[in-house]
Amino acid sequence: MGELDADEPILLKPRFPLIGHLFGMLRWQVGYMQMLSSKIPTHPAFTLRIFSSRIYVICDPSLIQAVYRNTKAFDFGQFVVESSQRAFDIGEAGMKIIRGETAPSYDPHGPYLNGNNGDSYLNEHHKLMLEALSPGTGLSELNKGVLDKVAEHLNVIDGGEKRVGLYRWVRDVLTLATADALYGPHDPMNADHSLIDNLWDFEENMTLLMLNLLPTVIAPKAYKGRATIKSAFTKYYENHYELTGSTLIRAHLACAQKWGFTPDDIANFEISTLFLATTNSVPTSFWQLSYILSSKSLLEQIQKEVQGIVKREKSEDGIEEAVMDITLFQSHCPLLVATFHETLRLIDAATSVRAVVEPTTLTSTTSSSSFSLKSPSVIQLPSGITHTSTSIWGIDASSFNPERFLPEAKSKLDKETRRKQNQGYFPFGGGKHLCPGRHFAMMEILAFVAGIVVGFEVQGMDSVPERAFQKLGTAVRKPVADVEVGVRRRAGWEGVKWRFEGGRGRLDFKALGTDSDEE
């Protein structure tokens, strides 16, 4: 196997040669890289060897951003391709399209997917998603759709206490609201609520499906969940129900059809759409609620903030409405927004992955750190390392302290600390593949949490629940167990119908912290 070159990141040798790190990853999963980094906290990067393969783990914020910027040497497309076939059961004809082999300009000896901006389905679909989910008409349409549905779920809680498992209730409300916003009045999820369990069964063991080894034996629920959702969306598209769906779904279908995907593959895609739209938003909403509800002083401060953006008015039919303007979160609810980011900092431990497709020197823009990276190899960027680093966030890095994200607190930081925090906080990824749905997710989560906090009492959330073990392939942890709570209207908010709208304020998503800022 041989040693590394002197200019590569330091090699961490396992107790058992060749396979020790593989066993470590299987045992500790997402937390394994954090465990290794804690043993050499001053090193900006390190190398693992598994058999003959190299894995470079990058821990320094400046180097992480350098990886995100260099899309020529560090490729994400290979991992999208590999996961598509195994996780979403795409046929070989569909895989040729995904790999770019059916494009007129395809060169078998050329760059992967015909280049980062080349002629391929994945590149075209990514641009489509960016356009549909960037601030503008498409995003406003989706936000309105999901929040109209959220309001419906909130409005049925009136006249008494509703006992729920908080995590499951949040899961069901946001899954149904998101599906309705995407797929319209004929959405399969709202027609058959058992599909919610199918989706989350798939999410629970998607990584096992990707092994492609006896899936009906090692991941039977995930396998069944995928097949059941595929069947539901086959009928959805057969009946042309997408015509009443969102602009995003119609464009998504048109792109797939243009590139020649079969109806079978198109139906398979939808579990990936739902997976990406819900599986991080749901646990993030749960944890943000948990942190707020378990602190009386924090709850009261955020209630006061949110009440300032809610108008009480009579509708045309005489019903009293509580109308929340979501465009005022930024200007009127800084602590609510800060709790969102602090929640993500602590519970999001996503690992971005890139393939090194050509030998490259990775150099920090702010220090003397510089490394030679070999090809082929893999780069991992574990956000859990930088999100909890005391050298970035201070001695209370492992504690929940939303004040650290308040604008006045950040303005008092020295330039170097502010830079490290901006570069080291990346819950939405970075570079070309910065999550296109981040604006949609943030507005959905903030509105849902704000509505509950100001309009409802939640009894039974006395402390923040324990976090569960985090599996490979997941970004946000779940609780060890659900928390049974009682939800009822707050005094003075009985009989009020909730509604969300936008218009009086202006949202600057870069200032809100959902867009990358390396300075």
Side-chain angles (χ1 to χ4, degrees), residues 24 64 66 115 161 166 187 219 227 250 267 302 347 451 497:
I64 288 169
E161 183 179 77
L166 185 60
D187 157 48
R250 294 196 300 274
I302 292 179
I347 56 89
K497 297 297 181 184

Side-chain angles (χ1 to χ4, degrees), residues 330 337 341 508-514:
Q330 183 176 353
V337 174
H341 288 298
D508 178 350
F509 283 102
K510 184 172 183 178
L512 277 169
T514 58

